[in-house]
């Protein structure tokens, strides 16, 4: 078995798959991370990914360019983010309940709109998705080139997005204000910055990124929209934020790790081992290993102190 | 400080500020003026409305009526941002710092445009360092706030205000959390600030600070201004009288009439306690002196039922205790005034009524397994009236109350059960003059009614003033009992640091 694993690990197609599987997770994890750093848990993530997958795909199906589809997905996500933000920030409702509600609403909206727009179809129609773009020079490097530098543009964008999020969080006044909103909102208010404004803004942008993560599935990974295609990725991203200890860099590592296990299990199924062991065990592998990694990593995690604590001005 | 301050220009004017919380009038038509370079002390008991007034000034609360004028310009109500822009900086009693951020990040938070790319960290650090030097506020800008001491955190709060070029500094009970040395450094900083033309309002109920460090005093009582005087024209006695509304009687407590032993401990080992023997007699206040952390908490928990003895014999009213728990303690007539009224004395988000029956809801206030809320409410209203708890009403959440009023409710809760044994653990910590006198009066009244009172305090004056019998606790050991006046403060101090605990001699008395 060891030999088979090594063989998989040194193949370029394995590493290419890792980056591809990680891409939607990175977008959505960054989105969730922004929300939580501002003090808002966003359990709407799963549904927002569905609406992103649907809205992005539908826009392209109706004639928009691919990047237009990404923008539409972002906008749709931000809209559901606005709903979540308004309910949990100024109204201070339970973030768990509202988040699950948003997930149900967004998922159902996407399915309903799909049926409404395409009542007759039995096989999902296809669009032309993003094609792989080989980075000049770099993609010619043996092994590394085809693995890392022959991806679709959205994959490059996912990694760029993580970089931007890290930069904004740690290097700009906006990021400082956002982190303060999640640590001690009273400190922010005392400095004259609106806690509600920052939190709602963070939830909107974060939800937009989650939706872009969802749209990766329809605009880059596949070419059609299916029901159940998000398939729990949103929940994985919630765990990845904890795994990453609320830090963008570590969260990306977590996404890569999970994607690695996922890519590995698919390939292991095709080895002689796959004939003996039930395939469900392989499907479990990324989740089991992720749980173990989560336990190990999250011990020392520094939770934002005001996560899930509604802030009411003038209350003592 | 500056002799000319009162003749200088007016920088801040509050006019007829009124603020109600439910039925409670926290501020009743308060007016005051602050001059350039002046240090104004805002004085009053807990719950007199000082903090509310300052929160209105800073825009955290909206006043129901009244206006604020800063540097000749009216200040829009309810906007901290406007107050900051007008040059008003506030140092809250409970610091508003984000623990996981660095000092520099806390200071620059909100000072730069949110949309600028990058933060001017080098320039900011330089400005903070120069302010640190100019105002004597030593703190490392790169340190994480969670790693700082309380005194350092307060310096960060002051730096925050100075960084924004505040011309008026408001400090809410700034010395409550400081050591005497830190407090002295703070007043040094305030002197440097007024020398540069800043004006300061500080809230306090410590008379010696007010006399030593202010130019003028405004005294609040029950939400109203009851006096505004130049500090040099008054004295501590006159200020105290204004605060509590009457000349304070000198509190010489008459000795109690010792009754039978209500609780006795023999050779008890439990938690931090090492071989402790103690008798608590009815009609007696037994004072426990000692530096905090020497076993006081264990002793209070033991008698209160939260800690079980590992060895030794415990007797209540002559009968050995076999089953011991908080419920058994309550049943045996042990009343408890806990050390930390926020953490163990009350449930912050429960109402006053719910807090008032925390120990009795299942017994006195239940019928057929259901809580009789009408009776609870009537009981709470009686307590509020009898113990002068200033609050919006029995349905208010207790976290809205000031420390003194919270303590009065706890006192009422305990006293209404006429405890045979009363453990008062730091009963007046953080309270003002009026509330302290009130609590002490109630303890003496409980003693005269026959209770055995155990008074645990770090304040030797308090222990010596009230107690009929004094023990000293040090490293879990208990000194022999000393009659009132038998030892001087200095002699007790020696016991507190561990002298005198000889071999076997400790239990001789």
């Amino acid at each position: 078995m060891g030999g088979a694993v090594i063989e998989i690990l040194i193949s370029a197609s394995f590493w290419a798959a890792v980056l591809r599987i990680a891409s939607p997770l990175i977008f959505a994890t960054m989105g969730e991370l922004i929300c939580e750093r501002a003090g808002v848990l966003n359990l709407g993530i799963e549904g927002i990914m569905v609406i992103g997958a649907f809205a992005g795909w539908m826009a392209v199906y109706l004639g928009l360019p691919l990047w237009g589809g990404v923008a539409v997905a972002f906008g749709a996500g931000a809209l559901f983010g606005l709903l979540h933000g308004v309910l949990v920030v100024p109204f201070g409702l339970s973030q768990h309940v509202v988040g699950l509600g948003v997930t149900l609403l967004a998922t159902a909206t996407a399915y309903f709109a799909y049926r409404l727009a395409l009542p007759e179809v039995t096989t999902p129609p296809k669009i032309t998705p993003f094609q792989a773009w080989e980075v000049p020079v770099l993609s010619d490097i043996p092994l590394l080139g085809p693995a890392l530098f022959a991806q679709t543009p959205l994959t490059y964008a996912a990694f760029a997005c993580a970089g931007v999020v890290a930069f904004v969080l740690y290097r700009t006044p906006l990021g400082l204000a956002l982190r303060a909103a999640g640590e001690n909102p009273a400190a922010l208010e005392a400095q004259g910055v609106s806690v509600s404004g920052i939190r709602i803004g963070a939830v909107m942008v974060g939800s937009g990124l989650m939706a872009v993560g969802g749209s990766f599935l329809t605009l880059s990974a596949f070419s059609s929209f299916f029901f159940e295609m998000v398939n729990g990725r949103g929940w994985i991203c919630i765990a990845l934020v904890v795994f990453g200890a609320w830090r963008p860099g570590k969260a990306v590592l977590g996404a890569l790790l999970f994607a690695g296990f996922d890519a590995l299990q698919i390939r292991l199924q095709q080895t002689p081992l796959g004939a003996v062991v039930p395939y469900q065990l392989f499907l479990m592998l990324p989740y089991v290993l992720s749980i173990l990694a989560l336990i190990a990593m999250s011990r020392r995690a520094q939770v934002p102190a005001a996560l899930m604590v509604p802030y009411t001005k003038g209350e003592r | 400080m500056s002799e000319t301050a009162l003749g200088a220009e007016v920088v801040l004017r509050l006019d007829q500020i009124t603020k109600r919380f439910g039925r409670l009038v926290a501020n009743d038509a308060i007016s005051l003026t602050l001059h350039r370079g002046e240090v104004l002390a805002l004085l009053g008991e807990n719950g007199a409305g000082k903090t509310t007034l300052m929160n209105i000034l800073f825009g955290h609360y909206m006043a129901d009526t009244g206006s604020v004028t800063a540097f000749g310009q009216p200040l829009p109500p309810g906007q901290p941002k406007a107050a900051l822009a007008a040059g008003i900086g506030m140092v809250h009693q409970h610091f508003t710092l984000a623990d996981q951020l660095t000092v520099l990040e806390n200071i620059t938070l909100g000072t730069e445009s949110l949309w600028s790319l990058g933060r001017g960290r080098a320039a900011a650090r330089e400005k903070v360092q120069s302010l640190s030097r100019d105002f004597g506020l030593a703190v490392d800008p790169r340190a994480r706030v969670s790693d700082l001491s309380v005194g350092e955190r307060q310096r960060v709060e002051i730096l925050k205000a100075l960084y924004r070029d505040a011309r008026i500094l408001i400090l809410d009970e700034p010395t409550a959390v400081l050591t005497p040395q830190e407090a002295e450094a703070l007043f040094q900083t305030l002197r440097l600030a007024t020398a540069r033309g800043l004006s300061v309002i500080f809230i306090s109920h410590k008379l010696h600070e007010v006399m030593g460090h202010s130019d003028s005093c405004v005294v609040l009582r029950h939400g109203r201004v009851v006096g505004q005087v130049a500090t040099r024209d008054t004295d501590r006695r006159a200020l105290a009288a204004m605060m509590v509304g009457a000349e304070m009687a000198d509190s010489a407590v008459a000795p109690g009439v010792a009754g039978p032993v209500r609780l006795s401990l023999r050779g008890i080992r439990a938690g931090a306690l090492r071989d402790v023997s103690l008798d608590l007699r009815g009609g007696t206040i037994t004072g426990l002196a000692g530096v905090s952390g020497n076993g006081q908490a264990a002793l209070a928990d033991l008698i209160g039922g939260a800690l079980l003895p590992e060895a030794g014999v415990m007797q209540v009213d002559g009968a050995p205790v076999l089953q011991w728990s908080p419920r058994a303690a309550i049943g045996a007539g042990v009343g408890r005034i806990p050390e930390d009224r926020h953490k163990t004395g009350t449930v912050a988000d429960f109402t006053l009524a719910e807090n008032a029956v925390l120990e009795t809801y299942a017994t006195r206030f239940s019928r057929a397994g259901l809580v009789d809320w009408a009776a609870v409410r009537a009981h709470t209203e009686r307590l509020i009236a009898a113990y002068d708890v200033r609050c919006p009403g029995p349905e208010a959440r207790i976290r809205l109350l000031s420390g003194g009023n919270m303590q009065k409710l706890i006192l009422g809760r305990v006293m209404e059960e006429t405890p045979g044994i009363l453990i008062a653990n730091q009963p007046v910590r953080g309270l003002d003059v009026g509330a302290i006198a009130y609590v002490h009066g109630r303890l003496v009244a409980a003693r005269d009614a026959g209770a055995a009172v155990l008074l645990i305090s770090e304040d030797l004056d308090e222990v010596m003033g009230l107690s009929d019998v004094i023990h000293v606790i040090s490293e879990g050991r208990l000194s022999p009992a000393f009659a009132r006046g038998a030892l001087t403060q200095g002699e007790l101090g020696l016991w507190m640091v561990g002298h005198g605990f000889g071999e076997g001699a400790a239990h001789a008395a």
Side-chain angles (χ1 to χ4, degrees):
Chain A
M1 160 163 190
V5 171
I6 288 168
E7 205 169 294
I8 290 170
L9 288 183
I10 58 168
S11 72
S13 78
F14 167 77
W15 290 103
V18 171
L19 296 202
R20 190 172 63 241
I21 295 169
S23 299
L25 300 178
I26 290 174
F27 275 122
T29 303
M30 289 304 120
E32 183 67 32
L33 189 141
I34 293 174
C35 296
E36 294 194 17
R37 267 304 179 97
V40 179
L41 177 73
N42 190 348
L43 292 185
I45 183 168
E46 178 80 6
I48 289 169
M49 287 182 79
V50 175
I51 202 84
F54 168 74
W57 177 84
M58 197 71 210
V60 174
Y61 182 72
L62 294 177
L64 248 58
L66 284 164
W67 286 108
V70 173
V72 167
F74 184 91
L79 223 54
F80 278 93
L82 179 64
L83 175 67
H84 184 71
V86 168
L87 290 177
V88 302
V89 178
F91 292 129
L93 302 182
S94 157
Q95 300 185 3
H96 290 107
V97 174
V98 172
L100 292 175
V102 167
T103 279
L104 294 174
L105 178 69
T107 307
T109 304
Y111 293 176
F112 183 63
Y114 180 78
R115 272 285 161 245
L116 219 55
L118 304 163
E120 306 295 336
V121 294
T122 45
T123 40
K126 288 183 187 305
I127 55 157
T128 313
F130 280 108
Q131 301 301 311
W133 182 69
E134 299 188 356
V135 183
V137 187
L138 290 177
S139 58
D140 297 333
I141 304 171
L143 185 61
L144 229 52
L148 306 184
F149 300 109
Q151 300 283 348
T152 66
L154 266 186
T155 294
Y156 303 126
F159 285 89
C161 160
V164 171
V165 167
F167 177 83
V168 171
L169 269 186
Y170 295 110
R171 296 283 158 157
T172 69
L174 181 66
L176 179 57
L178 191 140
R179 284 186 287 140
E183 286 293 339
N184 185 352
L188 192 60
E189 196 77 42
Q191 293 282 60
V193 182
S194 158
V195 172
S196 293
I198 292 283
R199 284 187 165 178
I200 291 181
V203 174
M204 286 182 70
V205 171
S207 301
L209 290 180
M210 296 168 190
V212 170
S215 78
F216 180 92
L217 300 174
T218 48
L219 300 182
S220 196
F222 306 99
S223 51
S224 320
F225 176 77
F226 310 98
F227 290 179
E228 311 292 343
M229 77 186 304
V230 172
N231 192 21
R233 283 183 177 82
W235 309 134
I236 290 291
C237 293
I238 302 255
L240 287 177
V241 172
V242 182
F243 176 88
W246 288 269
R247 292 170 172 279
K250 279 189 178 175
V252 168
L253 276 184
L256 288 172
L257 195 67
F258 178 83
F261 291 140
D262 204 18
L264 185 64
Q265 63 90 6
I266 296 169
R267 283 161 180 75
L268 279 180
Q269 285 187 43
Q270 291 146 10
T271 61
L273 200 64
V276 191
V277 182
Y279 74 97
Q280 287 92 341
L281 280 179
F282 291 107
L283 284 178
M284 275 168 54
L285 180 73
Y287 299 95
V288 171
L289 292 177
S290 296
I291 289 171
L292 293 179
L294 189 60
I295 292 169
M297 289 287 289
S298 59
R299 283 263 177 80
R300 293 154 298 158
Q302 193 66 58
V303 189
L307 182 59
M308 291 190 284
V309 183
Y311 177 71
T312 318
K313 212 171 142 180
E315 187 157 294
R316 41 178 177 174
Chain B
M1 269 156 246
S2 55
E3 292 297 317
T4 56
L6 297 182
E9 62 169 312
V10 171
V11 294
L12 183 73
R13 192 187 297 279
L14 302 187
D15 199 25
Q16 298 289 316
I17 300 279
T18 298
K19 174 75 182 174
R20 290 187 186 81
F21 292 108
R23 298 204 316 241
L24 179 78
V25 183
N27 287 166
D28 189 355
I30 293 180
S31 301
L32 64 81
T33 51
L34 178 69
H35 300 81
R36 186 178 148 89
E38 179 185 16
V39 177
L40 185 146
L42 193 59
L43 199 61
E45 298 186 76
N46 288 321
K50 300 165 302 204
T51 301
T52 303
L53 185 66
M54 290 304 108
N55 277 325
I56 287 170
L57 167 56
F58 195 66
H60 284 309
Y61 299 160
M62 296 260 271
D64 298 330
T65 59
S67 64
V68 180
T69 315
F71 300 99
Q73 300 291 320
L75 209 58
Q79 294 177 20
K81 199 168 189 158
L84 287 166
I88 299 172
M90 179 143 178
V91 176
H92 294 270
Q93 188 178 0
H94 305 288
F95 301 144
T96 54
L97 297 172
D99 281 359
Q100 289 307 316
L101 303 186
T102 67
V103 169
L104 192 67
E105 287 176 331
N106 268 288
I107 292 173
T108 55
L109 181 61
T111 60
E112 295 164 292
S113 161
L114 290 180
W115 308 114
S116 62
L117 287 174
R119 312 202 309 260
R121 281 198 274 200
R125 187 176 305 141
E126 212 155 277
K127 182 169 175 186
V128 168
Q129 275 162 347
S130 91
L131 286 171
S132 292
R133 271 194 307 277
D134 292 352
F135 290 90
L137 294 161
V139 60
D140 176 5
R142 284 161 308 183
R144 220 173 253 265
V145 166
S146 54
D147 298 334
L148 300 184
S149 71
V150 175
E152 286 172 313
R153 286 178 200 212
Q154 186 176 65
R155 278 177 239 153
V156 176
E157 284 281 5
I158 297 172
L159 280 170
K160 254 164 74 174
L162 295 175
Y163 186 85
R164 288 177 170 260
D165 303 317
R167 308 297 298 155
I168 300 169
L169 275 182
I170 300 166
L171 300 104
D172 190 358
E173 304 212 9
T175 59
V177 292
L178 301 184
T179 66
Q181 291 74 18
E182 285 174 328
E184 196 39 58
L186 169 70
F187 286 115
Q188 182 64 37
T189 294
L190 296 187
R191 270 191 287 276
L192 289 169
T194 48
R196 286 162 181 263
L198 273 73
S199 312
V200 175
I201 298 179
F202 78 90
I203 297 177
S204 181
H205 52 240
K206 295 184 185 166
L207 295 171
H208 66 95
E209 284 172 14
V210 173
M211 290 309 298
H213 302 286
S214 71
D215 300 310
S216 62
C217 315
V218 171
V219 183
L220 296 187
R221 192 170 75 238
H222 295 205
R224 280 191 214 98
V225 174
V226 291
Q228 179 157 22
V229 287
T231 308
R232 60 173 176 274
D233 298 336
T234 188
D235 58 33
R236 288 168 72 153
R237 206 176 168 76
L239 287 177
M242 273 196 270
M243 272 169 73
V244 299
E247 288 277 339
M248 293 211 302
D250 278 324
S251 52
V253 175
V257 183
V261 173
R262 305 298 299 265
L263 179 128
S264 91
L265 306 177
R266 286 291 171 271
I268 291 282
R269 266 196 299 116
L273 300 178
R274 288 156 50 187
D275 193 18
V276 162
S277 296
L278 172 71
D279 285 331
L280 297 182
R281 287 178 177 277
T284 303
I285 294 181
T286 305
L288 187 68
V291 179
S292 126
N294 272 285
Q296 290 97 329
L299 185 60
D301 283 349
L302 174 78
I303 302 174
L307 183 69
L308 296 178
E310 293 154 21
V313 181
M314 179 167 176
Q315 290 188 325
V316 173
D317 291 326
V321 168
L322 303 172
Q323 295 283 323
W324 201 231
S325 69
R327 188 149 293 285
I330 293 169
V334 176
R336 300 165 299 171
I337 300 175
E339 178 176 12
D340 186 332
R341 52 185 160 266
H342 299 280
K343 283 200 183 127
T344 46
T346 57
V347 182
D349 283 309
F350 275 19
T351 64
L352 269 76
E354 287 165 334
N355 274 292
V357 297
L358 280 182
E359 292 181 349
T360 45
Y361 67 92
T363 50
R364 267 180 56 191
F365 294 101
S366 285
R367 272 191 318 217
L370 298 176
V371 177
D372 181 355
W373 288 111
V376 169
R377 198 188 157 87
H379 173 71
T380 310
E381 271 169 354
R382 220 166 39 243
L383 286 187
I384 289 171
Y387 290 84
D388 189 27
V389 182
R390 288 181 212 139
C391 64
E395 300 306 322
R397 289 185 305 155
I398 203 161
R399 71 157 70 236
L400 291 169
L401 267 57
S402 67
N405 283 314
M406 214 182 266
Q407 193 72 330
K408 284 180 189 170
L409 187 85
I410 292 173
L411 204 59
R413 175 174 83 195
V414 171
M415 296 300 189
E416 282 302 289
E417 306 304 314
T418 53
I421 300 162
L422 176 61
I423 314 161
N425 196 352
Q426 312 286 356
V428 300
R429 181 184 275 174
L431 302 191
D432 58 64
V433 187
I436 289 174
Y438 185 87
V439 171
H440 284 169
R442 287 287 183 167
L443 292 181
V444 172
R447 176 199 73 180
D448 292 342
V453 180
L454 176 65
L455 171 67
I456 303 177
S457 174
E458 288 159 50
D459 182 350
L460 259 187
D461 287 335
E462 183 184 11
V463 171
M464 294 176 77
L466 283 180
S467 309
D468 301 298
V469 172
I470 297 175
H471 287 273
V472 181
I473 191 163
S474 175
E475 293 177 3
R477 296 164 305 179
L478 211 58
S479 77
F482 304 114
R484 175 181 218 169
L487 293 190
T488 65
Q489 200 153 4
E491 288 166 326
L492 285 174
L494 283 177
W495 278 92
M496 281 164 64
V497 295
H499 290 282
F501 289 93
E503 313 72 44
H507 314 298

